[in-house]
Each structure stands twice: as C-alpha cells, then as structure tokens.
C-alpha cells in the first residue's frame, strides 16, 4: 500500500533519503562568532533561531541520532559546535518555555553534556534552569499556560534535565487553576480566551502528560490524580467511539478561520492523544489507556492521511503537524506491539515522493492552500522541517533492520519504548 504516485522504496533507499536530508540540513548551518553553529528557521531568514521548536536546539537531536545511527563523528562534532552558540542564546532569550525558549535549550545542552561529555554545555544548562526559576511569578511564566509555551512544558523539560524541584514548582499551579467540567477538569491555555483547547500541544492533554510524568517521577499522587481528571474531560468529548477516537480541536472553536474542527496529527489530534495515552498506560497500568491508544490509531489509519483529500486537510510533512509526527507513533507501535509495518510504509513513501531533491540534498515544502503559490519555503527545524523528518526516517530504517527502536535523544512528550530491538526485520526489502 503506497501513497498515490509513490514508487516502491527499499530500506536502503529510505536511508539514502535521510542522508540527503542531513546533507541539506548541515549545509544550511551558519557559523557563529565563537566558532559555533546555528540555524535559521528558513534559509531566507536573516537571523538564526535558537529554539527547540523551529531552530537550532531542535536540530541537535537529529545530529545525535545521525551520530549514533551511522557512527560518524562528524555529526557529534557538529552537535558540539552547536552547543557554543546555544549556551549564549539561552542566556539572552526572553522566553522560558520548552518549545520556544530557555527550558528547551537547557534540555538540549544537558543532553550534549550527558551524551558527548561537554561540561561547558552542562554548566550552561544549570545556568539556564536557574534563570527559569528566577523568572517564575508564583503561578506562570508569561501568557501561555500549556505544554509548548507554558508551565507544563517547563515542568516536563526541567524534570528531564534533572531539576525535579523546578518541575514540581511548575506543575503545582495547575491544581488551583483547574476549571471543573461535567467529566473532569480543563484549563485556559492563555488569559482572556473563551476557547478551551483539548490536545497535546496547547491543550488539556499536554498538561495531563506533564502532570502524570512529573507526579509519577516525584511521588506526587495529587498531580497524577489531577492528570487523570484532565484526561477524563477529553475522553468524554470523543466523537468517534467506540472503535475510534476523535475530539474537536477546541470548544468553542478556536480560530475557525484557520483550523478545521478536527485534526489528526501530533499537535491537535489523535497522533498526539495516543502519546498521552501511552504514558498513562505506563504510569497507571490500567488497560483502558492502551485501548484508547488503539482507538486513536484506528481513527488515524481510516482518516485518509497522508492523502491530501481536500484543501487544508493534510498539508504538512513535518513532525509537529504532519506526516513525520504520525510516523513517530506508527514506529512506537511497531516497537511496542509488533504492529505491521504497512501504515509506516505508506507514510515513508509519501515523505519520499514529496521530497525536493537536488545537488544540495533533500528538503520538504509544506502547503498553505490559501496562498498563491501555495508551496511554502522549506524549513530546517524539528517542527516543520528537515530535522524532525530525518529523525523519524532514521528510526524507521533502524526498526526495519531489526535494530534498537529507541532514539538517541528522548523527546519530552513522546514516552520511550522498551530498550529492546523490534522482533521482526524487513531487511533491505521494498517499502511498498
């Protein structure tokens, strides 16, 4: 089963596509004054972007992935050079969040210390987390109050960077700000909006994931119980049961001029919901969460993606809102439950057919159907560009060869799979 227009690929050809994507990515790096490396979100941008979401911090994980995958020290060297400028950026940025600010940069700097022995990066991570703590107002950091830009992400990032005290500090305000609903609780993702968002990136389930993980790791049963109340609210909103799982983006609809009432990717749909349910499965050992994750996959695989069924339905190749994010879940399922590779094949074939390949490597253009021309400038980073796509392609290749299903860098909101290889290998056979 392939996407329309996609030719069958061997696993070796998928790996070659990943190599081309890495070549394009490393070729887009810019040297910093101190001899480091940094990346713009797009090649046309004058300034580099330091963030986990769209810039330099989010490129480090794929460099570590490539280093471990290929055993090529040039990728580790590039990651170490990236740490130099990233440390300065973490000191100067005016945002403390996981995806858009200092916490995400601290997490990546900590990884560079742990994986590559860069003690200066470790010291910069400590300094960054100290700054984050100093800027807490007693309830929040800035306007956003969710996973990507607010407390939930800061708590999750701090926990993974080794600061459990800061993690708890970030999560405790959710207890006193929770709004009761008929089925559980939810939260406003920012002040002054009537809409309540439900999914992982900006909504209830992102807060649920952070509460559950921080609560479980620190022995805070109150936080874990609050997570279950938040999850109950979202589960009660399902419109696709009993076999599927699909919850509207928000209630009432947030920005109806931009977003359809439902989405299917990591950010606002069942691909991200399933990641939360995977974590709740691990934290509670309750089989209901496994069943809900199964229902998410059922909805995704029957939605029609990655086909672009109508304008605005599926216009993104990236990790945040597109095909690569769904591929991450498909590979989690292969690793944990020995799911068939069929759906992962469809996603990989679609990424291959949509790649723009030339002498500089491979890149991907997303679509804004309301603009003319509709093809957007390719991006470099984790969310919408090469870094996020290549990372998932490399993991797919490794799984297909019966290798280690774990990533080199554990993403904060994607629960890790068991430390064992997949039980079935596809060798170098066709991806069809």
């Amino acid at each position: 089963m392939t996407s329309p227009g996609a030719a069958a690929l061997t696993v070796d050809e998928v790996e070659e596509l990943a190599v081309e994507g890495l070549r394009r990515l490393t070729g887009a790096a810019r040297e910093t004054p101190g001899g480091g490396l940094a990346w713009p979100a797009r090649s046309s941008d004058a300034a580099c972007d330091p963030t986990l979401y769209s810039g330099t911090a989010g490129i480090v994980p794929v460099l570590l992935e490539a280093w471990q995958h290929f055993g090529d020290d040039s990728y580790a060297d590039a990651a170490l050079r990236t740490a130099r400028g990233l440390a300065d950026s973490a000191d100067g940025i005016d945002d403390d969040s996981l995806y858009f600010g200092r916490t995400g940069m601290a997490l990546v700097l900590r990884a560079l210390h742990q994986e590559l022995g860069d003690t200066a990066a470790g010291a910069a991570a400590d300094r960054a987390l100290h700054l984050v703590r100093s800027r807490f107002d007693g309830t929040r950091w800035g306007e956003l109050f969710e996973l990507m830009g607010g407390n939930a992400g800061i708590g999750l990032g701090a926990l993974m960077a080794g600061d459990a005290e800061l993690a708890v500090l970030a999560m405790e305000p959710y207890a006193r700000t929770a709004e009761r609903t008929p089925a559980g609780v939810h939260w406003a993702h920012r002040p002054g909006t009537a809409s309540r968002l439900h999914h992982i990136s900006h909504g209830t389930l992102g807060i649920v994931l952070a509460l559950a993980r921080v609560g479980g790791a620190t022995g805070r049963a109150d936080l874990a119980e609050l997570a279950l109340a938040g999850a109950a609210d979202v589960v009660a909103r399902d419109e696709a049961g009993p076999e599927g799982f699909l919850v509207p983006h928000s209630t009432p609809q947030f920005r109806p001029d931009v977003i359809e009432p439902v989405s299917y990717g990591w950010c606002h749909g069942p691909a991200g919901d399933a990641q939360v349910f995977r974590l709740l499965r691990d934290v509670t050992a309750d089989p209901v969460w496994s069943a809900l994750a199964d229902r998410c996959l059922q909805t995704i695989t029957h939605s029609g993606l990655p086909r672009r069924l109508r304008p605005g339905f599926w216009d993104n190749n990236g990790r945040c809102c597109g095909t690569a994010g769904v591929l991450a879940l498909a590979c989690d399922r292969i690793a944990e439950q020995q799911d068939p590779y069929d759906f992962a094949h469809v996603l990989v074939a679609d990424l291959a057919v949509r790649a723009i390949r030339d002498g500089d490597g491979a890149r991907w253009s997303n679509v804004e159907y309301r603009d003319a021309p509709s093809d957007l400038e390719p991006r470099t980073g984790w969310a919408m560009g090469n870094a996020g796509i290549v990372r998932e392609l490399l993991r797919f290749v490794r799984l297909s060869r019966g290798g280690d299903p774990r990533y080199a860098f554990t993403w904060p909101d994607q629960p890790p799979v068991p430390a064992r290889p997949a039980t079935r290998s596809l060798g170098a056979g066709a991806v069809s």
Side-chain angles (χ1 to χ4, degrees):
M1 188 165 54
T2 59
S3 300
L9 299 173
T10 66
V11 175
D12 289 348
E13 287 171 332
V14 179
E15 187 174 59
E16 177 56 31
L17 176 60
V19 169
E20 290 184 36
L22 283 164
R23 187 168 75 251
R24 176 77 183 194
L25 185 63
T26 55
R30 297 176 184 174
E31 291 204 10
T32 66
L37 295 176
W39 277 261
R42 299 168 299 190
S43 294
S44 66
D45 291 347
C48 289
D49 181 336
T51 68
L52 189 67
Y53 185 79
S54 55
T56 302
I59 289 168
V60 170
V62 76
L63 295 174
L64 293 175
E65 194 74 26
W67 170 56
Q68 291 199 9
H69 184 92
F70 295 107
D72 183 342
D73 286 344
S74 68
Y75 294 115
D77 292 342
L80 288 170
R81 290 185 65 190
T82 300
R84 301 175 195 171
L86 201 57
D88 292 337
S89 297
D91 290 338
I93 195 169
D94 189 26
D95 188 302
D96 294 292
S97 68
L98 175 63
Y99 273 100
F100 310 129
R102 188 173 284 112
T103 299
M105 296 155 73
L107 178 59
V108 168
L109 288 163
R110 177 74 74 227
L112 288 168
H113 181 200
Q114 293 172 340
E115 296 296 326
L116 300 176
D118 187 341
T119 56
D126 291 338
R127 188 168 64 248
L129 292 173
H130 176 76
L131 276 171
V132 172
R133 180 181 283 102
S134 73
R135 288 158 60 91
F136 182 51
D137 72 2
T139 300
R140 62 202 300 149
W141 288 263
E143 183 179 52
L144 293 176
F145 197 56
E146 29 69 300
L147 177 72
M148 299 195 83
N151 287 47
I154 291 171
L156 191 58
L159 180 72
M160 296 187 66
D163 193 335
E165 181 181 332
L166 177 58
V168 170
L169 186 72
M171 300 314 299
E172 287 180 325
Y174 287 112
R176 62 177 182 269
T177 57
E179 301 170 352
R180 293 289 167 185
T181 70
V185 299
H186 63 192
W187 294 266
H189 77 288
R190 66 184 347 140
T193 179
S195 295
R196 296 296 177 263
L197 279 62
H198 306 309
H199 299 279
I200 193 169
S201 61
H202 296 299
T204 300
L205 285 182
I207 297 168
V208 164
L209 186 147
L211 284 167
R213 191 157 192 178
V214 173
T218 61
R220 288 290 299 266
D222 57 329
L223 299 181
E225 290 170 4
L226 188 60
L228 294 178
D233 173 78
V234 178
V235 171
R237 298 176 187 276
D238 170 47
E239 298 180 351
E243 299 298 324
F245 188 83
L246 189 63
V247 171
H249 169 274
S250 49
T251 308
Q253 178 68 15
F254 185 68
R255 295 186 65 189
D257 59 315
V258 174
I259 301 170
E260 294 190 347
V262 295
S263 181
Y264 295 91
W266 169 86
C267 48
H268 296 297
D273 301 348
Q275 298 293 359
V276 181
F277 298 149
R278 288 179 61 234
L279 178 72
L280 293 175
R281 171 204 66 195
D282 295 343
V283 169
T284 68
D286 187 335
V288 69
W289 304 113
S290 290
L292 282 163
D294 291 345
R295 287 166 54 185
C296 288
L297 187 71
Q298 172 77 3
T299 290
I300 293 165
T301 56
H302 288 75
S303 67
L305 72 80
R307 298 193 305 276
R308 297 181 176 179
L309 300 179
R310 60 186 179 274
F313 168 71
W314 198 252
D315 292 339
N316 195 302
N317 303 296
R319 178 59 177 78
C320 176
C321 308
T323 303
V326 180
L327 178 60
L329 175 63
C331 288
D332 287 336
R333 301 273 311 192
I334 292 168
E336 290 183 337
Q337 297 174 245
Q338 290 74 57
D339 273 13
Y341 281 77
D342 300 18
F343 185 53
H345 291 172
V346 172
L347 301 170
V348 169
D350 191 73
L351 288 170
V353 79
R354 297 191 189 283
I356 303 166
R357 305 169 86 162
D358 57 26
D360 294 326
R363 62 197 189 279
W364 286 264
S365 175
N366 300 317
V367 170
E368 174 46 74
Y369 69 94
R370 292 161 300 179
D371 291 349
S374 60
D375 287 348
L376 300 174
E377 182 179 353
R379 291 179 173 262
T380 59
W382 170 85
M384 305 291 181
N386 276 42
I389 295 169
V390 168
R391 184 169 177 264
E392 302 309 331
L393 291 175
L394 288 176
R395 187 194 190 201
F396 170 83
V397 168
R398 203 160 53 252
L399 276 168
S400 299
R401 292 173 176 162
D404 192 335
R406 296 170 298 171
Y407 295 98
F409 173 93
T410 301
W411 208 261
D413 44 59
Q414 185 179 358
V417 300
R420 58 177 177 79
T423 59
R424 294 181 296 117
S425 171
L426 295 185
V431 175
S432 60

